[in-house]
Amino acid sequence: MKLIIVLSLAFWFAATPGLAETRPKPMQAALDKIVTEALYCTAYFGFAQEAVRRRPDASAATAKTLIKRLGELADQALNIAVTSGRRAELSAQALNARQASVFDDVRKITKNSMANLPVLVGRYDTSCKQLVLKPEVRVQELFRREFD
C-alpha cells in the first residue's frame, strides 16, 4: 500500500510543472535517471541501427525492416528522454549537453567501432527494450529504487 501511495505521489509531482524545487529528492533523482537511461537507449538503438546499415547485406528486406525498427526504438527512447526532461525541468540546453555526454560515452565504450556492438548489447539491451516497450514498468522500477 505504501508503495502505491508513494508512486502516486511521485507521478503527481513529476507531472506538475514548477515543482522541481519542492519535489522530494528521490523523485528528482528518479526523473534524472529516467532521462539519462533514455538517452543511453537512444544512443544504443542508434548505434545498432548504424551497425546494421553498414552490413554488406543491408539492402536485404529483413535488414531494411530491422533498420527501420531500430530507428523507431531510438525515436521512442528520445521521446521518453525529452518528456522526462521536461518533467524534471531540464532546459533544452541541459538536455542537449547530457545527450552529447552520453553519445561521447557510448563512443568511448565501443571505441567508436561497430565491432564492439556486443558490449552495448550486454549493457543496454534488456533495460532499453523494457524502457521503450513497457515504459511504465521500467519507470516504476526506477522510482521504487529511489524511494526504498
Side-chain angles (χ1 to χ4, degrees):
M1 180 66 157
K2 177 185 170 191
L3 179 62
I4 293 170
I5 293 170
V6 168
L7 286 174
S8 296
L9 286 171
F11 286 117
W12 180 80
F13 273 107
T16 307
L19 289 179
E21 301 81 32
T22 60
R23 278 190 194 116
K25 288 186 182 193
M27 165 64 61
Q28 200 63 30
L31 285 169
D32 188 60
K33 285 183 180 180
I34 293 165
V35 170
T36 300
E37 183 169 307
L39 289 173
Y40 271 99
C41 292
T42 302
Y44 164 62
F45 289 126
F47 193 90
Q49 180 186 39
E50 188 59 28
V52 174
R53 188 177 282 130
R54 289 184 184 188
R55 288 177 48 104
D57 61 347
S59 61
T62 54
K64 286 182 179 181
T65 301
L66 182 56
I67 290 167
K68 181 180 178 192
R69 182 65 182 137
L70 288 167
E72 291 167 352
L73 293 170
D75 289 345
Q76 285 177 271
L78 183 59
N79 186 44
I80 291 168
V82 169
T83 302
S84 299
R86 283 188 193 127
R87 289 184 177 154
E89 298 188 13
L90 290 176
S91 67
Q93 184 179 12
L95 191 61
N96 288 337
R98 188 174 304 181
Q99 184 177 23
S101 174
V102 164
F103 277 62
D104 286 344
D105 191 39
V106 168
R107 282 187 204 98
K108 287 177 191 169
I109 291 168
T110 61
K111 299 176 184 157
N112 212 21
S113 170
M114 296 297 159
N116 293 320
L117 179 60
V119 175
L120 292 182
V121 171
R123 284 189 186 192
Y124 301 112
D125 192 61
T126 302
S127 61
C128 288
K129 283 181 183 174
Q130 185 181 40
L131 182 68
V132 296
L133 300 176
K134 295 183 179 179
E136 66 285 346
V137 173
R138 187 69 183 145
V139 168
Q140 285 179 358
E141 184 178 311
L142 292 170
F143 275 113
R144 204 171 307 149
R145 284 184 193 170
E146 290 302 319
F147 279 95
D148 282 346

